[in-house]
């Protein structure tokens, strides 16, 4: 499989898979299920094609993701992870890490990994505080 980074090309591929699903050698319910899956995927990709990309880091793993959304808050929410944060380079060697889209919090650090560790420490402390309060 060759990765395609262009969302509109991926959408076209899913439309082709949807058409192919209609003629597959399987039951009608399975063909309809596959058709609907690929059609919905194509619609989502076409909708995302015009959206800006945000670089989102998962603080616990250090993994970076490119998420397309209207705002950084939506991009963070799309990951479904509490440790997801937007990382922006302020100047070479200085990073702004913003997380918690409902109540934005942030750290500025010269080291990306140290900043991600600070996000994890903050989230862990907040979780401990909630456990004590309940």
């Amino acid at each position: 499989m060759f990765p395609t980074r262009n969302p509109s090309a991926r959408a076209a591929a899913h439309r082709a898979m949807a058409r192919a699903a209609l003629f597959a050698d399987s039951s009608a319910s399975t063909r309809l299920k596959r058709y609907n899956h690929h059609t919905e995927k194509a619609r989502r990709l076409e909708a995302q094609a015009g959206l800006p990309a945000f670089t989102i880091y998962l603080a616990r793993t250090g993994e970076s993701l490119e998420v397309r959304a209207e705002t950084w808050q939506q991009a963070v929410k799309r990951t479904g992870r509490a440790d997801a944060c937007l990382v922006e380079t302020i100047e070479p060697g200085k990073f702004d890490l913003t997380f918690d889209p409902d109540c934005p919090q942030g750290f500025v650090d010269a080291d990306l990994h140290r900043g991600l560790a600070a996000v994890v420490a903050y989230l862990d402390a907040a979780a401990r505080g909630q456990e004590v309060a309940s």
Side-chain angles (χ1 to χ4, degrees):
M1 179 182 214
F2 298 99
T4 306
R5 290 184 168 80
N6 183 350
S8 57
R10 288 179 59 206
H14 278 284
R15 282 192 301 275
M17 287 185 271
R19 286 189 300 274
L22 292 175
F23 302 103
D25 188 20
S26 55
S27 69
S29 65
T30 300
R31 287 183 287 164
L32 181 61
K33 181 178 161 186
R34 289 179 183 160
Y35 173 81
N36 288 335
H37 166 77
H38 288 296
T39 303
E40 178 58 31
K41 186 83 171 181
R43 284 187 191 124
R44 278 194 311 241
L45 288 166
E46 287 169 340
Q48 285 182 352
L51 297 176
F54 293 94
T55 302
I56 304 296
Y57 277 79
L58 303 178
R60 294 194 189 282
T61 63
E63 178 184 0
S64 69
L65 309 169
E66 183 177 289
V67 180
R68 292 192 174 272
E70 290 181 18
T71 64
W72 73 268
Q73 290 95 336
Q74 290 174 350
V76 168
K77 286 180 181 181
R78 280 199 179 148
T79 65
R81 302 263 308 249
D83 66 330
C85 54
L86 173 70
V87 175
E88 297 175 301
T89 304
I90 299 172
E91 58 188 47
K94 193 171 184 182
F95 301 94
D96 182 18
L97 295 89
T98 310
F99 60 102
D100 192 359
D102 297 324
C103 181
Q105 303 288 327
F107 292 106
V108 175
D109 205 315
D111 180 56
L112 178 61
H113 297 293
R114 192 172 56 217
L116 292 172
V119 170
V120 171
Y122 178 88
L123 292 171
D124 289 346
R128 281 191 304 272
Q130 289 176 350
E131 290 172 2
V132 174
S134 51

